[in-house]
């Protein structure tokens, strides 16, 4: 017995709506929260942002958590990053 050939069923699905945000996704109010939001949107780790801004990871962590604020010399690169 020989089985009949299978036919491929082609279907397309279009999903509409907003992509779900990860837990802890910020609703930015401070500069650090804006940085965190953009970093998450661009799927960057903090250590990748340190290379972009030429700062250490602890600085990024402090800025995002509101424990500290960047000094003036980092503002131009932060503004470039935020777009």
């Amino acid at each position: 017995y020989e089985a009949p050939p299978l036919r491929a069923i082609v279907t397309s699905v279009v999903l509409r709506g907003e992509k779900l945000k990860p837990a802890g996704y910020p609703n930015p109010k401070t500069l650090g929260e804006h940085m965190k939001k953009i970093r998450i949107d661009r799927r960057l780790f903090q250590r990748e942002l340190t290379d972009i801004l030429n700062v250490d990871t602890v600085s990024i962590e402090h800025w995002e958590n509101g424990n500290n604020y960047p000094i003036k010399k980092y503002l131009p690169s932060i503004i470039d990053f935020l777009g």
Side-chain angles (χ1 to χ4, degrees), residues 11-36:
T11 186
S12 69
V13 176
V14 177
L15 301 176
R16 299 183 194 277
E18 252 186 73
K19 184 177 177 182
L20 293 176
K21 304 296 182 197
Y25 187 78
N27 181 11
K29 295 179 182 86
T30 66
L31 176 62
E33 289 172 348
H34 279 282
M35 291 174 61
K36 183 175 185 177

Side-chain angles (χ1 to χ4, degrees):
Y1 170 77
E2 189 174 320
L6 297 175
R7 292 185 184 172
I9 298 174
V10 178
T11 186
S12 69
V13 176
V14 177
L15 301 176
R16 299 183 194 277
E18 252 186 73
K19 184 177 177 182
L20 293 176
K21 304 296 182 197
Y25 187 78
N27 181 11
K29 295 179 182 86
T30 66
L31 176 62
E33 289 172 348
H34 279 282
M35 291 174 61
K36 183 175 185 177
K37 179 186 178 298
I38 298 298
R39 180 178 61 78
I40 290 171
D41 288 346
R42 294 182 185 171
R43 295 186 171 134
L44 296 172
F45 292 107
Q46 285 181 339
R47 70 178 182 278
E48 293 169 310
L49 184 54
T50 62
D51 294 336
I52 295 169
L53 300 179
N54 198 27
V55 298
D56 58 289
T57 308
V58 174
S59 294
I60 301 290
E61 187 178 319
H62 284 292
W63 298 345
E64 288 184 355
N65 293 327
N67 298 332
N68 205 344
Y69 298 97
I71 58 175
K72 286 183 183 179
K73 87 175 198 180
Y74 296 119
L75 291 179
S77 58
I78 291 171
I79 290 168
D80 286 343
F81 171 71
L82 294 175

